[in-house]
Amino acid sequence: MKCRKCSGSAVINMRQHKLALCKEHFLDWVLTQTERNIQKYRMFNHNDQILVAVSGGKDSLALWDVLNKLGYQTGGLYIHLGISGENHYSDQSLDYVSNFAESRNLKLHIADIPEKFGKTIPQISKNSRRNKSKPCAICGLVKRHTMNEIAVQFHYDILVTGHNLDDEVSVLFNNTLSWQIDFLRRQSPVIPSKDGLPKKAKPFCRFYERETAAYSILSEIDYIEEECPFADGNTMIDNKNVLNQLEHEHAGTKLSFYLKFLKAKQILFPDIVSYFSPEETLQSCDSCGQPSPNKGICSFCRLIEETCK
Amino acid sequence: MKCRKCSGSAVINMRQHKLALCKEHFLDWVLTQTERNIQKYRMFNHNDQILVAVSGGKDSLALWDVLNKLGYQTGGLYIHLGISGENHYSDQSLDYVSNFAESRNLKLHIADIPEKFGKTIPQISKNSRRNKSKPCAICGLVKRHTMNEIAVQFHYDILVTGHNLDDEVSVLFNNTLSWQIDFLRRQSPVIPSKDGLPKKAKPFCRFYERETAAYSILSEIDYIEEECPFADGNTMIDNKNVLNQLEHEHAGTKLSFYLKFLKAKQILFPDIVSYFSPEETLQSCDSCGQPSPNKGICSFCRLIEETCK
């Protein structure tokens, strides 16, 4: 197969776009498309200070790389969760992130959960009253809180994450199967700042996972290939399989599902997208000061109180 | 496996309800659940004249049988579409329907499309400007128009169809994947009468296809097993496979998807459900008098004008 731009040998064929590209033109294409997304959804501009949440995986490191190449002012945030597994998952991820940042001379914030609270994520989850077999919900809560905290503390204008189209579509599909209106309302490429919570954006939301993977490999970004040891058997996995099947049968199904959802949202939820429903008023947490829909202390502080003290 | 009610030998296990039943208690259960749906969605009562649209297949004949056993006043409507195929599909279906009605002494209306318009559905479709490889869209338009016409002409209070949960969910899934808000708004177990269009209801909308099939077989209803020769390769089929897979992995997925959608609809579309969006005003068709969103003549009359004259 030949590159559409130069007739050189194509390294990737994107069926949904009927577009095959060589290495050079594919890497260019990723940059151009990212810039286009940033503009289209009014995510940020070149004056903004951007905090990139990085896990050490392909998506977030590719995103940081692209934003850096596009000339944006970025800092990274790595949250050390204390997850070990066979290969010391968290320590290894941090190595990848540190090497990435150092080699490009980029600022990196490290939030060390075990160091700060004396417990790892699996330990916090185990101690928690809502103890489940998997710490994923707890991990999400801790990460969200920490990202907000660092973004505000260091005066970043926006927090960005490496969520790709497959991530977005699998969440969307899950929320649609169960018609969770509040979650549907909240899903967006960009969420404005509210009551002290930072603005958030997902500049990669229109890239398929195989495209971010291809970008990382072709750009020779070293990233952790291992998945989080808790990811396996996740309830989302069945849905991902089904979505892959639909995509296989009709190339572009995922992209179309996502884009048509974004369009429908403007009619279904014409109020400005935000973290919480428009009716909800946010309180300041008595302990950490972060905005929260709960009175008294927020869910994060309650969790830490319950599990780490 | 034993029947939950009598410990007799179960003939069906409904995983989503964790309910296994013997023949007698399953047949009872279908009657009770249908009655419950009729009440829950305020479909009709024992004073209403009910027109049951019957195709000769398991769902519509089972529905007519159940309504008859529940003591409702029903008449049937068979629309002869002139579809032949290897086994004279339409003629054969009519035989099943006629036998059913005669043996129970029930009134049957027969609308004969080829007789009335001089052309069969496949011929009409072929002659049509929107000629596609399949006549399914044309067939739907003709059936909808004819059902409305007969219901009004013979003063029925309500028109009911045998759509089961699998039918409803596959339409819902399709409309959700493409976020067709106007179609989502319209999908409902019951649609009130509007501007001369009859009230409509789907009393079987919460039964899985295997349940209506089991009901028909166990009640010894003779029905046409052959599918319409045009049904194969339908675009809905891929989606049905995917939904079956989700159902297989988590029993009850389809039912939950449908019921949660109905609940969400009350928030998403709080206006009364109707044939058309609340903003649309209906005109009377200059030719047939049926209400239509178009000025002049309606889509059905335009089709007949174009293809049969």
Side-chain angles (χ1 to χ4, degrees):
Chain A
M1 193 160 285
K2 286 188 171 177
C3 172
R4 160 100 67 89
K5 305 261 164 123
C6 69
S7 303
S9 176
V11 293
I12 190 167
N13 179 25
M14 294 172 286
R15 283 172 66 211
Q16 78 283 2
H17 298 306
K18 294 195 175 72
L19 182 63
L21 294 172
C22 69
K23 174 177 166 177
E24 184 196 334
H25 286 117
F26 172 69
L27 295 178
D28 267 4
W29 180 85
V30 171
L31 263 66
T32 318
Q33 292 300 313
T34 308
E35 183 63 48
R36 192 173 288 179
N37 275 350
I38 293 167
Q39 304 299 327
K40 182 176 175 65
Y41 299 110
R42 296 186 191 153
M43 292 180 173
F44 44 79
N45 61 46
H46 285 274
N47 297 321
D48 286 324
Q49 294 292 333
I50 301 161
L51 181 63
V52 187
V54 280
S55 65
K58 65 185 183 329
D59 298 301
S60 55
L61 289 183
L63 175 60
W64 201 2
D65 184 70
V66 167
L67 295 183
N68 188 42
K69 283 183 181 149
L70 290 171
Y72 288 103
Q73 303 178 60
T74 58
L77 164 62
Y78 177 79
I79 305 177
H80 195 298
L81 304 159
I83 294 174
S84 43
E86 274 177 37
N87 304 311
H88 301 279
Y89 178 73
S90 286
D91 290 341
Q92 239 196 65
S93 314
L94 176 55
D95 284 346
Y96 284 104
V97 173
S98 300
N99 291 339
F100 179 97
E102 257 172 50
S103 66
R104 285 158 181 84
N105 203 21
L106 290 165
K107 180 166 182 56
L108 175 64
H109 304 267
I110 298 171
D112 194 313
I113 301 299
E115 194 179 288
K116 186 159 177 191
F117 300 106
K119 298 251 173 353
T120 67
I121 288 289
Q123 289 166 338
I124 293 176
S125 170
K126 220 174 162 188
N127 286 359
S128 153
R129 243 173 291 158
R130 30 178 188 155
N131 181 7
K132 298 250 170 90
S133 57
K134 280 165 164 293
C136 305
I138 296 277
C139 184
L141 173 63
V142 171
K143 284 195 289 192
R144 276 192 302 281
H145 185 275
T146 308
M147 290 188 291
N148 291 341
E149 184 189 350
I150 303 291
V152 170
Q153 185 182 343
F154 292 93
H155 307 289
Y156 281 96
D157 299 294
I158 185 156
L159 169 72
V160 301
T161 52
H163 292 94
N164 61 40
L165 180 68
D166 291 77
D167 297 328
E168 290 300 292
V169 163
S170 109
V171 168
L172 174 60
F173 190 69
N174 217 36
N175 290 337
T176 307
L177 276 185
S178 54
W179 288 96
Q180 304 237 39
I181 295 182
D182 276 346
F183 292 160
L184 288 172
R185 190 202 306 267
R186 226 167 284 181
Q187 190 172 0
S188 174
V190 60
I191 298 181
S193 161
K194 184 177 175 178
D195 296 335
L197 287 169
K199 186 176 178 182
K200 291 183 181 171
K202 300 166 186 167
F204 273 6
C205 64
R206 292 170 72 144
F207 289 127
Y208 281 79
E209 188 171 2
R210 64 189 282 268
E211 291 157 14
T212 59
Y215 180 88
S216 296
I217 292 163
L218 296 169
S219 305
E220 294 173 26
I221 294 171
D222 273 338
Y223 64 85
I224 184 159
E225 289 184 46
E226 199 193 342
E227 287 254 34
C228 170
F230 294 105
D232 208 36
N234 192 300
T235 45
M236 295 277 192
I237 302 278
D238 290 343
N239 292 351
K240 280 210 171 181
N241 288 342
V242 153
L243 288 161
N244 287 341
Q245 197 178 316
L246 288 171
E247 180 71 29
H248 179 75
E249 280 153 4
H250 303 281
T253 298
K254 288 185 196 178
L255 185 59
S256 143
F257 177 48
Y258 182 63
L259 295 183
K260 286 178 176 166
F261 162 71
L262 292 184
K263 214 167 164 194
K265 264 187 74 180
Q266 297 174 357
I267 297 164
L268 295 177
F269 312 112
D271 45 301
I272 293 166
V273 183
S274 73
Y275 288 96
F276 304 98
S277 334
E279 312 79 47
E280 259 176 320
T281 43
L282 300 185
Q283 323 276 334
S284 251
C285 167
D286 291 346
S287 171
C288 72
Q290 268 197 30
S292 150
N294 306 324
K295 272 197 174 172
I297 67 169
C298 70
S299 327
F300 173 80
C301 291
R302 210 180 311 135
L303 174 73
I304 295 300
E305 184 71 37
E306 181 192 316
T307 58
C308 301
K309 301 267 157 97
Chain B
M1 195 161 283
K2 287 189 171 175
C3 171
R4 159 101 68 86
K5 304 261 165 122
C6 69
S7 303
S9 176
V11 293
I12 190 166
N13 179 24
M14 293 170 288
R15 281 170 67 209
Q16 78 284 3
H17 298 307
K18 295 195 174 74
L19 182 63
L21 293 173
C22 69
K23 174 177 166 180
E24 185 197 333
H25 286 117
F26 173 68
L27 294 178
D28 268 4
W29 180 84
V30 171
L31 263 66
T32 317
Q33 292 300 314
T34 307
E35 183 63 49
R36 193 173 287 178
N37 275 351
I38 293 167
Q39 304 299 329
K40 184 178 174 61
Y41 299 110
R42 296 189 191 151
M43 293 181 172
F44 44 78
N45 62 48
H46 285 273
N47 297 319
D48 286 326
Q49 295 292 332
I50 300 161
L51 181 63
V52 187
V54 279
S55 65
K58 65 183 184 328
D59 298 301
S60 54
L61 289 183
L63 174 61
W64 201 4
D65 184 71
V66 167
L67 295 183
N68 189 41
K69 283 185 181 148
L70 290 171
Y72 287 102
Q73 304 178 58
T74 58
L77 165 61
Y78 177 79
I79 304 175
H80 196 298
L81 304 160
I83 293 174
S84 44
E86 275 177 39
N87 304 309
H88 301 279
Y89 179 72
S90 285
D91 290 340
Q92 237 194 68
S93 314
L94 175 56
D95 284 347
Y96 283 104
V97 172
S98 300
N99 291 339
F100 180 95
E102 258 173 49
S103 66
R104 286 159 180 81
N105 203 21
L106 290 166
K107 182 170 181 56
L108 176 64
H109 305 268
I110 298 170
D112 194 311
I113 301 298
E115 196 179 286
K116 186 161 179 188
F117 301 106
K119 296 251 175 349
T120 66
I121 289 290
Q123 289 166 339
I124 294 177
S125 170
K126 220 173 162 188
N127 286 358
S128 152
R129 242 173 289 156
R130 28 175 189 157
N131 181 7
K132 298 247 171 90
S133 58
K134 280 164 163 297
C136 305
I138 296 278
C139 185
L141 173 62
V142 171
K143 285 194 290 192
R144 275 193 301 281
H145 185 275
T146 308
M147 290 187 291
N148 291 341
E149 184 189 352
I150 303 291
V152 170
Q153 184 181 341
F154 292 92
H155 307 290
Y156 281 95
D157 298 295
I158 184 156
L159 169 72
V160 301
T161 51
H163 292 94
N164 61 40
L165 181 68
D166 292 77
D167 297 328
E168 291 300 291
V169 163
S170 107
V171 169
L172 175 59
F173 191 68
N174 217 35
N175 290 337
T176 307
L177 277 185
S178 53
W179 289 96
Q180 304 237 40
I181 293 181
D182 276 345
F183 292 160
L184 289 172
R185 190 203 305 265
R186 227 167 283 181
Q187 190 172 2
S188 173
V190 60
I191 298 181
S193 162
K194 184 178 175 180
D195 296 334
L197 287 169
K199 186 176 178 182
K200 291 185 181 171
K202 299 167 188 167
F204 273 6
C205 63
R206 291 170 73 145
F207 289 126
Y208 282 79
E209 189 171 3
R210 65 188 282 266
E211 292 155 14
T212 61
Y215 179 87
S216 296
I217 293 164
L218 295 170
S219 304
E220 293 172 25
I221 295 170
D222 274 339
Y223 63 87
I224 185 160
E225 287 182 48
E226 197 193 342
E227 289 251 37
C228 171
F230 296 105
D232 207 38
N234 191 300
T235 45
M236 294 275 191
I237 301 278
D238 291 344
N239 293 350
K240 279 210 170 180
N241 287 343
V242 153
L243 287 162
N244 288 340
Q245 196 178 317
L246 287 171
E247 180 72 29
H248 178 76
E249 279 153 3
H250 302 280
T253 298
K254 288 185 196 178
L255 186 59
S256 142
F257 177 48
Y258 183 63
L259 296 182
K260 285 177 177 166
F261 162 70
L262 293 184
K263 213 167 165 193
K265 264 187 75 180
Q266 298 175 356
I267 298 164
L268 294 176
F269 312 112
D271 46 302
I272 294 166
V273 184
S274 74
Y275 287 95
F276 304 99
S277 334
E279 311 81 47
E280 260 175 319
T281 44
L282 299 186
Q283 323 276 334
S284 250
C285 168
D286 290 346
S287 171
C288 70
Q290 268 197 32
S292 150
N294 306 325
K295 274 196 174 174
I297 66 168
C298 70
S299 330
F300 172 79
C301 292
R302 210 180 309 135
L303 175 72
I304 295 299
E305 184 71 39
E306 180 191 319
T307 58
C308 302
K309 302 261 155 104

